[in-house]
Amino acid sequence: MSDIQQLVEQYIAVWNETDPAARRRGIGAVFAADARYTDPLADVTGPDALDAVIAAVQAQFPGLVLTLGPVDAHHDIARFTWELGPAGGESLVVGFDVVAIGDDGLVRRVLGFLDKVPAAA
């Protein structure tokens, strides 16, 4: 397994982590301290803001999990699809992210796109 594949899997695990302390540890292991995350609903920098975004998504969609799709990577950039839904059920949200990885092997930048969003989101 490539280092980038493993990092992306850890990234998805952070989004699925519901224990706040474990999630913060995961953020520290995956993201650079000054990492920026941008999607149509958020534009934040740093671990506190990123943790708040993840917690808000979990509160909006309780019990749902992110599932990773194929990862395509080259150099220090990866793109991948993901789906958010009940385990084993139909996805309510579908999107893809592009991540830039720093020399330290941590995510420095995330550009997120939403392909399917529930009308009430």
Side-chain angles (χ1 to χ4, degrees):
M1 173 184 318
S2 77
D3 291 343
I4 292 177
Q5 176 76 31
Q6 185 175 13
L7 182 66
V8 170
E9 290 175 5
Q10 290 173 316
Y11 170 93
I12 294 295
V14 166
W15 279 88
N16 285 328
E17 181 56 65
T18 57
D19 177 78
R23 185 173 58 241
R24 278 310 286 259
R25 286 191 301 274
I27 288 170
V30 171
F31 294 90
D34 61 348
R36 183 173 174 192
Y37 174 89
T38 305
D39 72 16
L41 305 173
D43 186 1
V44 299
T45 301
D48 292 339
L50 181 58
D51 187 40
V53 167
I54 294 170
V57 169
Q58 291 177 354
Q60 184 177 4
F61 299 104
L64 302 186
V65 294
L66 275 175
T67 303
L68 179 62
V71 178
D72 182 24
H74 63 82
H75 297 86
D76 62 351
I77 300 170
R79 67 178 178 165
F80 51 91
T81 58
W82 52 262
E83 297 185 14
L84 179 67
E90 184 177 344
S91 299
L92 301 175
V93 183
V94 177
F96 78 91
D97 289 355
V98 177
V99 298
I101 301 160
D103 292 339
D104 57 3
L106 299 176
V107 173
R108 301 200 62 73
R109 185 80 167 99
V110 179
L111 301 170
F113 296 84
L114 301 173
D115 296 321
K116 175 184 171 187
V117 179

